[in-house]
């Protein structure tokens, strides 16, 4: 029963006791009468217009709109605290900072590991299943056979090219600056007095000392042999600058046969097929060997799996590092600040609490037999123990789909929004009346003077107008409240009914009690 109901009952009891005392001590004494000849006396109550409301009673606890216990996800020393107890914060505001140097180091290590794996996968994917000649010539030596493991630098074969000649020339410091690899120059044949085109293939930028005390720089050129030049013949390298200056090598040197050309694998794997033989002519771009990459495909899959795992770990390490600065998950007021700068905080330990009291709710425990009558939007009268009989208006805002077993029954925690809860604190206890039906300005009688027969039908006791004796009268009833019952028909406002229980019922403001004989 609510505090309001207890107060009302107590008030009526005081009135009845006062009336009894007055009748006993102050009313004029009457002569004794024959009680067998006199009808018993019963108090009456009038049908009045007023409010009738049917409610469901429930106890409950006051809760804040939101309450968050701040528990760091990272252990470490508290470097800095940005808030004080009682301070109002907004969601996202920094609360405190934890030393994260170890987490950052772990993140950086994992980042390097991810980069390394990505590069390894890229290298594996760059492997080619075929080897092509990057020059032309006659095969002088094949250096691999099927089944051999090769790397990018493994020499597959060597080629010689009698149609190419090589010539070296010496230049001074002021001359060497005009030369670079790939440029076109001329070669003067001293014996036949002719000029042949050549390509610079090597330029010595370091130089070496001469016996005369100077520094000599060497340039190497390559030229096609027209067929009439013998390797024993001599030639001089010559270059004409854009300004028209002719630069000549210091002296004539003997031609040389071109060194053997090394054809390298350029890939990693196992040789499956060799497609060239000794003394065979090879053209530039010709396929000369095939490589089995089946092991490489398996290695790529293993590396890709390792990369995914490393990336997940990297994300976790990044997340750990980001957890060093703890921010407010909700807006509210800081309470129960439990940490200090310089002290160590452990993962999962409550550092502080944020309470959002911008809205206040009562979690009302409703019995399962009453839950079918509860609907979202119903008005609620809320009472909080700390504030006595003060009524706080509320509204049902949430009905759970699942109940909790308690003392051989099931109860449902109905959420009630308290519309004026500024004075309330999280955790306060109280009770409430959830109004499931309410009628205004309707005929009503106190609940205890109406005998309920069935839904919509009841009886009251009235005075027989002929004999003066009590007699039952059937009435149609509407809302059955805890204090009053709505009278829909059978009686009119102002009609009186007998209170057969001696006047212990509830009286409304307009329904005065009378004693009739």
């Amino acid at each position: 029963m609510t505090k309001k109901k207890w107060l009302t009952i107590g008030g009526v009891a005081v009135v009845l006791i006062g009336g009894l005392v007055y009748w006993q001590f102050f009313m004029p004494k009457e002569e004794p009468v024959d009680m067998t000849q006199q009808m018993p006396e019963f108090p009456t109550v009038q049908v009045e217009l007023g409010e009738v409301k049917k409610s469901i009673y429930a106890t409950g606890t006051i809760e804040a709109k939101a309450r968050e216990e701040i528990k760091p996800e990272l252990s470490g020393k508290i470097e800095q605290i940005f808030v004080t107890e009682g301070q109002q914060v907004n969601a996202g505001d920094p609360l405190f900072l934890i030393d994260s140097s170890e987490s950052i180091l772990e993140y950086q290590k994992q980042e390097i590991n991810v980069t390394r794996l990505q590069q390894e996968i890229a290298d594996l994917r760059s492997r080619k299943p075929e080897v092509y000649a990057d020059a032309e010539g006659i095969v002088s030596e094949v250096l691999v056979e099927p089944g051999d493991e090769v790397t990018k630098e493994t020499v597959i074969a060597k080629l010689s090219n009698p149609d190419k000649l090589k010539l070296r020339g010496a230049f001074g410091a002021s001359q060497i600056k005009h030369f670079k690899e790939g440029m076109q120059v001329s070669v003067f044949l001293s014996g036949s007095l002719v000029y042949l085109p050549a390509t610079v293939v090597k330029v010595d930028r370091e130089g070496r000392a001469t016996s005369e005390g100077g520094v000599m720089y060497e340039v190497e050129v390559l030229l096609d042999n027209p067929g009439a030049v013998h390797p024993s013949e001599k030639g001089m390298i010559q270059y004409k600058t854009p300004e028209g200056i002719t630069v000549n090598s210091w002296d004539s040197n003997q031609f040389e046969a071109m060194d053997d050309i090394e054809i390298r694998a350029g890939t990693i794997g196992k040789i499956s097929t060799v497609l060239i033989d000794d003394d065979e002519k090879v053209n530039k771009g010709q396929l000369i060997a095939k490589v089995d990459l089946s092991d490489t495909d398996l290695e790529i899959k293993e590396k890709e799996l390792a990369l995914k795992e490393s990336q997940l770990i990297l994300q976790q390490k990044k997340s750990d590092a980001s957890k060093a600065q703890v921010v407010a998950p909700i807006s509210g007021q800081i309470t129960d600040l439990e940490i200090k700068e310089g002290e160590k905080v452990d993962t999962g330990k409550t550092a502080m609490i944020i309470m959002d009291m911008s809205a206040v709710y009562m979690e009302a425990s409703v019995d399962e037999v009453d839950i079918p009558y509860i609907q979202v939007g119903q008005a609620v009268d809320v009472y909080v123990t700390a504030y006595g009989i003060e009524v706080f208006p509320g509204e049902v805002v949430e009905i759970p789909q699942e109940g909790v077993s308690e003392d051989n029954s099931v109860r449902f925690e109905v959420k009630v929004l308290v519309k004026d809860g500024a004075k309330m604190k999280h955790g306060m206890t109280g009770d409430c009346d959830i109004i499931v039906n309410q009628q205004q300005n309707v005929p009503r009688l106190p609940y205890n003077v109406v005998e309920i027969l069935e839904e919509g039908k009841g009886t009251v006791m009235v005075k027989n107008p002929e004999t003066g004796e009590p007699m039952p009268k059937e009435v149609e009833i509407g809302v059955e409240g805890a204090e009053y019952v709505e009278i829909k028909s059978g009686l009119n406002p102002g009609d009186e009914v007998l209170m057969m229980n001696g006047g212990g019922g509830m009286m409304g403001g307009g329904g005065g009690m009378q004693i009739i004989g």
Side-chain angles (χ1 to χ4, degrees):
M1 187 175 293
T2 65
K3 300 175 183 63
K4 180 178 179 183
K5 296 173 185 176
W6 280 113
L7 184 65
T8 306
I9 292 172
V12 172
V14 170
V15 172
L16 291 176
I17 292 171
L20 181 61
V21 171
Y22 178 80
W23 178 80
Q24 180 70 27
F25 292 99
F26 298 100
M27 287 292 288
K29 304 297 184 180
E30 296 182 355
E31 292 297 326
V33 296
D34 185 359
M35 295 302 293
T36 60
Q37 300 298 320
Q38 184 175 353
M39 294 293 297
E41 297 178 351
F42 297 101
T44 64
V45 63
Q46 290 182 347
V47 178
E48 64 173 1
L49 294 177
E51 178 188 69
V52 180
K53 50 183 185 179
K54 181 177 182 178
S55 61
I56 291 174
Y57 173 77
T59 58
T61 304
I62 296 299
E63 292 189 358
K65 177 181 179 181
R67 179 181 182 275
E68 288 285 344
E69 293 186 10
I70 308 304
K71 299 179 180 180
E73 299 179 65
L74 188 68
S75 297
K77 186 177 70 175
I78 301 294
E79 286 191 348
Q80 190 174 0
I81 300 175
F82 305 108
V83 296
T84 57
E85 190 159 331
Q87 180 179 334
Q88 190 74 22
V89 296
N90 295 319
D93 285 351
L95 301 176
F96 57 92
L97 181 65
I98 302 173
D99 180 7
S100 60
S101 55
E102 185 176 343
S103 296
I104 292 174
L105 179 61
E106 289 296 321
Y107 170 74
Q108 290 173 339
K109 288 180 179 179
Q110 195 61 34
E111 191 174 36
I112 292 172
N113 188 49
V114 167
T115 302
R116 178 182 59 78
L117 286 169
Q118 288 174 332
Q119 184 59 52
E120 289 177 357
I121 291 172
D123 290 343
L124 289 170
R125 286 176 175 165
S126 68
R127 295 180 181 180
K128 299 175 182 178
E130 297 171 330
V131 180
Y132 293 90
D134 55 5
E136 63 179 6
I138 304 298
V139 177
S140 58
E141 186 178 9
V142 178
L143 300 174
V144 296
E145 60 184 22
D148 288 350
E149 296 283 351
V150 296
T151 66
K152 290 184 178 181
E153 296 303 317
T154 301
V155 178
I156 301 294
K158 291 183 178 180
L159 305 180
S160 63
N161 192 341
D163 296 331
K164 296 284 187 180
L165 293 174
K166 182 171 64 174
L167 180 66
R168 295 186 179 93
F171 295 88
S174 62
Q175 297 173 311
I176 197 66
K177 64 182 180 180
H178 295 292
F179 292 91
K180 61 182 180 180
E181 292 178 2
M183 67 184 296
Q184 297 297 310
V185 296
S186 297
V187 172
F188 177 68
L189 274 66
S190 350
S192 55
L193 302 179
V194 297
Y195 289 89
L196 296 175
T199 303
V200 176
V201 294
K202 187 184 296 184
V203 179
D204 173 22
R205 301 291 180 186
E206 296 182 2
R208 68 175 186 273
T210 65
S211 58
E212 291 81 11
V215 179
M216 179 186 71
Y217 299 88
E218 191 174 76
V219 173
E220 182 178 316
V221 300
L222 196 65
L223 67 156
D224 292 330
N225 186 355
V229 180
H230 192 273
S232 62
E233 196 169 344
K234 292 185 176 180
M236 177 183 290
I237 300 172
Q238 186 180 90
Y239 172 66
K240 183 173 287 188
T241 69
E243 295 79 19
I245 300 172
T246 300
V247 180
N248 292 315
S249 56
W250 287 355
D251 51 20
S252 296
N253 289 321
Q254 186 174 322
F255 288 101
E256 303 174 35
M258 191 179 73
D259 295 336
D260 281 348
I261 302 169
E262 295 182 341
I263 306 298
R264 301 182 185 276
T267 187
I268 299 174
K270 183 184 294 185
I271 296 294
S272 61
T273 308
V274 178
L275 301 173
I276 56 174
D277 291 317
D278 291 345
D279 299 325
E280 181 180 336
K281 180 174 177 54
V282 172
N283 297 316
K284 185 176 182 179
Q286 180 179 330
L287 177 64
I288 62 173
K290 292 184 179 181
V291 180
D292 180 5
L293 297 182
S294 56
D295 290 344
T296 299
D297 294 337
L298 179 60
E299 192 174 353
I300 288 175
K301 291 179 181 179
E302 291 174 348
K303 295 286 185 183
E304 287 176 336
L305 179 59
L307 176 61
K308 288 180 180 179
E309 292 175 350
S310 293
Q311 287 173 330
L312 289 175
I313 296 173
L314 179 65
Q315 289 299 319
Q316 183 61 48
K317 297 299 182 184
K318 182 178 181 181
S319 177
D320 289 345
S322 69
K323 292 171 185 174
Q325 177 162 292
V326 181
V327 299
I330 62 170
S331 299
Q333 188 180 53
I334 301 294
T335 65
D336 298 326
L337 186 60
E338 298 290 340
I339 56 174
K340 295 180 181 179
E341 290 185 3
E343 292 183 349
K344 186 177 183 297
V345 65
D346 294 324
T347 301
K349 181 181 178 181
T350 300
M352 63 184 69
I353 295 174
I354 300 180
M355 198 91 71
D356 182 1
M357 297 295 289
S358 60
V360 176
Y361 298 88
M362 172 176 275
E363 292 290 340
S365 181
V366 177
D367 191 274
E368 60 181 316
V369 298
D370 294 324
I371 203 68
Y373 303 101
I374 307 297
Q375 296 180 11
V376 172
Q378 288 173 335
V380 183
D381 292 335
V382 177
Y383 301 87
V384 178
T385 304
Y387 298 108
I389 62 171
E390 184 177 356
V391 181
F392 295 89
E395 178 184 343
V396 175
V397 294
E398 186 177 315
I399 303 170
Q401 296 300 313
E402 184 176 356
V404 178
S405 294
E406 183 180 314
D407 298 331
N408 298 321
S409 67
V410 178
R411 306 195 71 81
F412 291 79
E413 297 298 318
V414 175
K415 194 170 187 178
V416 175
L417 171 65
V418 183
K419 297 183 179 179
D420 184 17
K423 298 192 297 183
M424 298 182 186
K425 304 294 183 183
H426 181 87
M428 286 182 168
T429 60
D431 52 43
C432 65
D433 292 324
I434 303 173
I435 302 168
V436 297
N437 201 345
Q438 185 175 24
Q439 294 293 332
Q440 302 285 348
N441 200 33
V442 296
R444 68 180 188 178
L445 280 171
Y447 186 84
N448 72 320
V449 303
V450 181
E451 181 180 359
I452 309 299
L453 300 178
E454 59 185 56
E455 185 175 356
K457 185 182 294 185
T459 62
V460 297
M461 298 302 290
V462 298
K463 182 180 178 183
N464 190 318
E466 297 179 358
T467 66
E469 297 178 355
M471 60 174 280
K473 181 177 180 62
E474 188 173 301
V475 292
E476 181 186 0
I477 61 176
V479 178
E480 301 173 33
E483 300 175 24
Y484 296 97
V485 177
E486 178 189 3
I487 306 301
K488 301 190 75 172
S489 65
L491 292 172
N492 296 313
D495 290 349
E496 294 182 343
V497 301
L498 301 178
M499 302 181 68
M500 303 301 292
N501 62 357
M506 309 295 294
M507 256 69 70
M513 183 176 72
Q514 299 180 5
I515 306 298
I516 66 170

